Amino acid sequence: MLSEEMKKQYNSCLDVLKRLQKTQEITLPASQNEQLKVLQKDISDSLADGNPELCIDRLHTFATEYIRNVCERHSLPVCDDKGDNLPIHSIMGALSKLYRDNQKVDSNFSVTAVRNSISLFSQYNDLRNSRSFAHPNTVLNKAEAFYTVRIMSATLTLVAEIEDTIS
């Protein structure tokens, strides 16, 4: 049986653990797509286990599929003339232009954030190919991997919230 002091210390440790685990959480857009739900769970589980580097390729797949779906809803092309999929930064560029030209966002900050995401997605694509478990690579360190996951998930969440105002 634990003394009252030991129980307090134990509960304090549990509180610290909960706070630390919470810092590893991210938000991703909700989806009815079963594949995206599986990816979301895998991403969440990897973050909860303290392995953000395992999320890089999964989040890239999630982001690509999610942004393609958004672009298709707006009748924006997601394939080139040969039928090959356009890279995520290209389709994000088309989406950014749609938002800007049709005044789908309220602030210049959001216009700039979506526009800047084009270069982020371009770099993210390279990161996924050269510094993730998508291929036999030297993987990105945990701090940079988690930062990357946070930035990309925040960008996807912004797109989802913009889309919610349009629908």
Side-chain angles (χ1 to χ4, degrees):
M1 179 113 150
L2 295 175
S3 69
E4 285 304 311
E5 182 60 31
M6 295 282 287
K7 286 179 186 178
K8 285 181 185 178
Q9 289 176 348
Y10 177 79
N11 287 333
S12 177
C13 288
L14 284 179
D15 289 342
V16 169
L17 178 62
K18 286 177 188 175
R19 278 196 316 272
L20 288 173
Q21 287 175 329
K22 214 171 209 180
T23 63
Q24 298 293 317
E25 292 178 4
I26 59 165
T27 302
L28 290 172
S31 175
Q32 298 305 313
N33 180 311
E34 285 304 313
Q35 283 184 294
L36 293 182
K37 286 181 181 181
V38 169
L39 287 168
Q40 282 177 309
K41 180 168 180 357
D42 194 33
I43 292 164
S44 293
D45 290 348
S46 292
L47 289 174
D49 291 342
N51 296 309
E53 67 279 12
L54 294 175
C55 300
I56 300 293
D57 63 321
R58 298 291 189 258
L59 183 57
H60 184 277
T61 302
F62 179 93
T64 301
E65 181 70 16
Y66 180 78
I67 296 298
R68 283 187 199 293
N69 290 341
V70 169
C71 287
E72 287 172 345
R73 282 196 302 270
H74 292 289
S75 300
L76 296 172
V78 296
C79 295
D80 63 17
D81 295 338
K82 297 177 188 174
D84 295 330
N85 287 331
L86 293 169
I88 190 169
H89 60 276
S90 294
I91 60 175
M92 196 62 195
L95 190 59
S96 171
K97 186 176 181 330
L98 174 94
Y99 289 163
R100 184 194 68 224
D101 292 350
N102 294 296
Q103 300 174 343
K104 300 296 184 186
V105 292
D106 291 335
S107 69
N108 285 333
F109 181 88
S110 292
V111 170
T112 302
V114 174
R115 189 177 56 238
N116 285 345
S117 72
I118 298 165
S119 63
L120 285 176
F121 275 107
S122 177
Q123 291 297 312
Y124 187 45
N125 193 51
D126 181 60
L127 191 70
R128 181 249 179 213
N129 289 328
S130 62
R131 298 295 305 268
S132 80
F133 285 108
H135 303 288
N137 294 315
T138 301
V139 297
L140 196 61
N141 65 66
K142 287 185 185 299
E144 288 183 61
F146 188 57
Y147 178 75
T148 301
V149 169
R150 280 193 311 243
I151 293 297
M152 300 318 295
S153 65
T155 302
L156 294 171
T157 300
L158 174 61
V159 169
E161 291 173 356
I162 292 168
E163 288 297 311
D164 285 346
T165 65
I166 294 171
S167 302

